[in-house]
Amino acid sequence: MMDVRRALRADRAWPNRVFPPAVLVCWLVWAALAWWSAPRSVDAAELERDLAAGRVLTIARADGWDDSGPWARRPEPRYAQGGSTVVWARPDGQFRYAYVPASVPDGGLVAADPDAGPATGAADPGPATGDPPGDADAGWPDPGPDPLADPRARDATTHGGDTRADTIANTAALFALAIGVGWLLTLVAGPPPVLGTRWYWFWIGLLPFGLGVLAWAYRERWRADVPAARPRRTGWAGLGWWLVGGIAVSIAVAALRMLLGGYVVPGG
């Protein structure tokens, strides 16, 4: 009889020993792919060097990036013909973007900064002394040639299909989706959690970068046989930890970006 009980206990423990390492491996693969394909901010000189070296596969204008939504969602450019951000994909599988203001048609002026003031479609008539319109003091100068009109970018502006950067980013999203679906199904249909209620772990699992899913896999699967030292935490506690944890992670990422640079800690 003891052998049967021991065998049943081993059968129940086996998934708890296999599931957390599987989640960790998938998370590491996602983290590596997402980090490599994350958009990196550079200056216009980097764009010029990539154009000269033929390292621009696709290029387009955008008004920044849409990085809202859950942690598994890949950032997407907000494409706009007159956007001040130039986004391009490189053969090494990375996205880069730079601030390059778009020219205003018909010789108008353009602001060097989106917050500096509105662009106008005609030159300032100038002072009453008779100076010609369009004097250097009349407004902001035109930013120069549009990189999308550069002959070296002709193929990049008409490129069809996904690049290596798109493939890497999409693969990262698939790994993140697999992690999220596996976590949610196990949370809903699996045995009751030990440390907190299902609602508690639901909120914790929404922490950025999948950190909450890793915490759940470790505590509720790897150490599921360890009883909790206090009553199970409620969904309200999970909501509070999600809010506090999200702010703490954002501050930590910003600090690391300032310390290590935008290439090592992309985003922002």
Side-chain angles (χ1 to χ4, degrees), residues 176-262:
L177 180 63
I179 294 171
V181 170
W183 157 72
L184 191 58
L185 289 178
T186 308
L187 179 64
V188 173
V194 178
L195 182 65
T197 64
R198 286 184 169 90
W199 275 111
Y200 171 82
W201 283 112
F202 170 79
W203 290 112
I204 296 297
L206 298 181
L207 284 172
F209 308 119
L211 298 178
V213 177
L214 293 180
W216 165 83
Y218 172 73
R219 180 59 183 91
E220 298 295 346
R221 289 296 170 262
W222 188 260
R223 301 187 60 202
D225 56 338
V226 179
R230 62 176 66 180
R232 288 202 306 167
R233 299 172 182 176
T234 65
W236 290 110
L239 176 61
W241 279 112
W242 171 66
L243 293 173
V244 174
I247 295 173
V249 171
S250 299
I251 294 175
V253 170
L256 288 174
R257 186 177 299 121
M258 294 177 60
L259 181 65
L260 302 176

Side-chain angles (χ1 to χ4, degrees), residues 2 4 23 40 43 63 73 77 101 111 123 136 152 158 168 174 186 206 243 247 258 265:
M2 288 295 292
V4 173
V23 171
R40 286 169 167 82
D43 55 19
D63 276 329
R73 184 178 181 271
R152 297 169 296 181
T158 58
I168 293 175
L174 288 177
T186 308
L206 298 181
L243 293 173
I247 295 173
M258 294 177 60
V265 187

Side-chain angles (χ1 to χ4, degrees), residues 115-130:
D115 298 327
T120 60
D124 193 305
T129 57

Side-chain angles (χ1 to χ4, degrees), residues 39 47 52 62 71 118-119 123 143 153 178 196 213 224 231 252 254:
L47 173 57
W71 60 268
V213 177

